[in-house]
Amino acid sequence: MIRSTHLPLLVTLATLVLAYALCAAAYPAMLSTRVMSNLLTDNAFLGIAAVGMTFVILSGGIDLSIGSVIAFTGVFLAVVLRETSMHPLLAFVLVLCITTGFGAAMGATIHYLEMPPFIVTLAGMFLARGAAYVLSTESVPITHEFYDTLQGLYWKAPGGGRFRLIGGIMVLTFIVGIVVAHRTRFGQNVYALGGGEQAARLMGVPQAMTTVGIYATSGCLAGLSGIVFSLYTSAGYSLATVGVELDAIAAVVIGGTLLTGGYGFVGGTFFGILIMGLIQTYIVFDGTLSSWWTKIVIGGLLFAFILLQKGLTWATQAKATRARRRTATGSAALS
Amino acid sequence: MGPKPSTLKRVMPQLLILAAALALNVLVFPEFFHIDFRNGRLFGNVVDVLNRGAPVALLCIGMTLVIATRGIDLSVGAVMAIAGAVAASVVVDGHGWVTALLAALAAGGVCGLWNGFLVAVLRIQPIVATLVLMVAGRGIAQLVTEGKILTFSDPGLIHLGAGVVAGIPTPILIWVTLGLLVAWAVRKTALGMLIEAIGINERSSRLAGINSRVLLICVYTVSGLCAALAGVIVAADIKGADANNAGLWLELDAILAVVIGGNSLLGGRFSILASLIGALIIQSVNSVILLSGMPPEFNLVIKAVLILCILVIQSPRIGNLIYILRASGPQPQPDRPPLPKKEAAR
């Protein structure tokens, strides 16, 4: 029997399959490995950031800063590689340390000063975007042979699709994210925190460590996403990736995670990303639809999934009430 | 009708922060308070602050009411874009500015009704419900303008954004009038109390006989209307509707202004006056950065740091610490009373 808790995930998966089938019916070329590999490559940075966002949302918080952090990471890498002779790998480690620390600082502010995540990460968004401006206001190209090497890494599938490194990094991030969310103590704590802070406290969840850890994870993954984005575009630009946090939130919600926290799946976010990428690909294939339809369709999908979750919550609650009533009458009959 | 002493006490911290921001302005630009009267219009930096702050101040009015009901309206920036696009396309089609304004307000009202319907009838969390329109809204605005930046030259419409009435720029008149009107409406009637009741505990407010559903829809509609007005002003100011950039991130500025105004994101007691002062604080900070002649790259960083400082000062935890430090004498330190946990972002 399908448990109702898995239903949103299944519906997301079914939506993806159905949408892909519809697209493929209209344009058989959509089934080629080229399209599939591009779907992974083009959405790699969004996917990686969305994993972090899933953790944040599962814990009942929100992180508005990731778009800015991605832009900051790109500009930082570009400027460092232009100004110094530092090896890119070292620069990657350095920038990941910075973004992780940034996330941890936001988490600490949220926990210790008891400020709403919305406002703290909003200030973080301004700060990271501002830092990117300070580093450089214009687009800085990245030319380094190591970047060329990384960009040249791909697995050529039959049919001509090129599964590149960055798509692989995204898939790997999702796998690690799924394992961490469902198989570790930290993951349990995240779910517990999202289920209700008071209950989590009573359960003995280390709140401070978990909150700081969640936002540090989100910061770290935003940094990784920035690295992937710089590999994708070969440049750093402080005006890039504006509004990515919204796309990430939309992907998380479409993936079946409740924005109230405590319930959802990291795997669902992966399907959410693919659905959003699919809409864009379809619009490109169609050619007559304008780009703004992407936003409208994603908004509509968001609405549909929210309604679905709402309906499921109602249904489960009604079932629980019925069950309770049955037990109540049963015990009354016994006594 | 002067403000009551309690009102004054409520907005005192905000007034002090505003005074500090203005003092900073004077520090970097001694002529700050100098006001000129030329060509039938007031000129001066203070006038600029009031004028430039108009969109955020307008958004603030609606946002304060929404936040007072324990909600949040993320869609106001997108609604601004839609309203601007509608106004511009109506004017470009050859109708008068009054029709354009009414059409824009109608569009904003419909957006607000939609949000209110999702929140009050379908019982979707406000942050999620308004996210739908935030994501889709700019797409809709682009649909209206067909992806172009629609420019217009109707003097009536432009007057709303760049005009002057009795020497005072029109946007200032609009936001001050609307602010006073709404503040008066919620304070001179039971409306404000009812809204606060919903924010504190919606269930019990409903049990107490408040028609929370209708009231919630009204509050979101007011927010939509305010956003539409702000959108028209912004479009009129640049004589064009830019679906991509009109009102971009202004929802965040408006929320920030409400929070700086000392209103809790958890709903309950609210003050429109304090929120408006919050909006002016944000604008004064912008002005100080501008006047100081610092490279514009630093704007966002400085703004973020200043805002963080203001928020930390207002944080309940800090207030509690100060309270404990003051109270801790020879007797053992009392345990910190449990604070309501933050759930605002949910």
Side-chain angles (χ1 to χ4, degrees), chain A residues 113-114 119 197 260 310, chain B residues 123 125 317 339 341-342:
Chain A
L113 294 183
E114 289 173 7
I119 289 296
E197 292 197 14
T260 24
K310 204 71 206 171
Chain B
R123 305 253 145 229
Q125 274 178 312
R317 190 66 175 255
L339 285 171
K341 292 303 286 185
K342 297 291 171 199

Side-chain angles (χ1 to χ4, degrees), chain A residues 60 112-114 119 122-123 125-126 130-131 133 137 197 242 246 249 259-260 292 295 299 303 306 310, chain B residues 74 118 123 125 128 131-132 134 142-143 146-147 249 252 297 300-301 308 311 315 317 339 341-342 346:
Chain A
Y112 290 109
L113 294 183
E114 289 173 7
I119 289 296
L122 180 59
M125 168 180 143
F126 286 144
Y133 283 140
T137 46
E197 292 197 14
V242 167
L246 287 181
I249 295 172
L259 259 179
T260 24
W292 51 81
K295 290 176 189 167
F303 178 56
I306 292 163
K310 204 71 206 171
Chain B
L74 291 181
L118 294 191
R123 305 253 145 229
Q125 274 178 312
V128 191
L131 183 68
V132 174
M134 184 185 191
Q142 278 172 322
L143 192 66
E146 287 164 346
W249 305 127
L252 301 179
E297 295 93 271
L300 267 180
V301 176
L308 216 54
L311 290 175
S315 144
R317 190 66 175 255
L339 285 171
K341 292 303 286 185
K342 297 291 171 199
R346 297 194 175 173

Side-chain angles (χ1 to χ4, degrees), chain B residues 260-274:
Chain B
I260 289 177
N263 299 294
S264 165
L265 275 175
L266 294 171
R269 199 151 162 61
F270 70 96
S271 162
I272 288 184
L273 185 62

